[in-house]
Amino acid sequence: MKKSPLYTRTGDAGQTSLVGGQRVSKCCDRLEAYGTIDELNSHIGLLASMVDSDTDRTLLTDIQNVLFVVGSYLATDTTTTELRSRSVVTDEMVQQLEHAIDLTDSQLPPLRAFVLPGGTQAAGQAHVCRTVCRRAERCILRVAAECPIDSRVTAYVNRLSDLLFALARKQNVDAQEAEILWLPNKK
């Protein structure tokens, strides 16, 4: 089988194809949404390389796989193209995230103040992931203002940012690193 080239030249004029072949501008809201999901996936890959726990690494790899599903969903304009089965975010995917949040949070002390992003390198990276995830959610909501978006997509991304916050805290706890608390009156 002949290897395909990495470049196609079809996007040189600022257009790209969605799933189904529809051509759109590379700066449209839909592209911004799934491009930000791709950015998040890359950041999560970096986070996975930093965590010490095999369980956390496996969880992050599972999330990366689902983010490909989310990206594929967002790359499909369902008003013009039928959604492929591999592009469907399921209730089970959302529930698995909720379970992971509950499990991770059960390992953490109660939160008594706002936490500043930081601590260990892995915790800091988890916070970067969390903020990119929140941006992805805002991008998806801009797409949803223009066309229907399955509520499980937005639920998944919303839950994911919560999990990333819990994972950031867990990285510090696991490393016995004190969390950095917000001191609103500190000058």
Side-chain angles (χ1 to χ4, degrees):
M1 183 165 132
K2 183 180 174 189
K3 187 175 179 180
S4 299
L6 291 176
Y7 56 89
T8 62
R9 298 187 174 109
T10 61
D12 291 353
Q15 297 268 311
T16 193
S17 295
L18 297 176
V19 173
Q22 179 186 358
R23 300 290 290 173
V24 296
S25 169
K26 287 185 174 183
C27 60
C28 75
D29 287 339
R30 182 177 294 281
L31 266 284
E32 187 69 27
Y34 75 74
T36 306
I37 289 294
D38 187 37
E39 178 185 354
L40 172 60
N41 208 337
S42 296
H43 277 291
I44 289 175
L46 180 58
L47 175 59
S49 75
M50 295 175 172
V51 299
D52 292 330
S53 163
D54 289 339
T55 301
D56 290 346
R57 196 173 305 104
T58 298
L59 171 63
L60 291 167
T61 301
D62 291 346
I63 289 166
Q64 286 186 288
N65 278 289
V66 175
L67 287 177
F68 262 80
V69 175
V70 172
S72 177
Y73 176 90
L74 293 169
T76 307
D77 182 348
T78 58
T79 63
T80 60
T81 304
E82 187 174 336
L83 194 62
R84 296 176 181 169
S85 61
R86 66 179 179 211
S87 303
V88 175
V89 176
T90 65
D91 290 328
E92 181 183 32
M93 292 171 181
V94 176
Q95 291 163 359
Q96 287 171 342
L97 264 191
E98 291 172 348
H99 175 72
I101 293 166
D102 293 340
L103 181 63
T104 304
D105 191 51
S106 72
Q107 302 169 48
L108 302 173
L111 193 57
R112 302 198 189 291
F114 286 106
V115 176
L116 297 181
T120 67
Q121 190 172 15
Q125 180 60 28
H127 279 294
V128 169
C129 292
R130 174 186 57 79
T131 60
V132 173
C133 188
R134 286 291 186 206
R135 179 162 38 93
E137 182 180 16
R138 292 188 301 272
C139 291
I140 293 167
L141 292 173
R142 278 194 290 280
V143 176
E146 300 169 13
C147 61
I149 296 290
D150 189 308
S151 62
R152 293 173 293 196
V153 172
T154 53
Y156 187 87
V157 175
N158 186 37
R159 297 304 180 286
L160 180 54
S161 63
D162 295 334
L163 175 61
L164 291 165
F165 177 75
L167 281 173
R169 292 191 67 217
K170 182 178 182 295
Q171 297 314 300
N172 284 332
V173 167
D174 288 353
Q176 299 179 349
E177 178 87 21
E179 290 185 298
I180 306 165
L181 302 179
W182 177 47
L183 303 173
N185 296 324
K186 187 171 183 170
K187 295 180 183 184

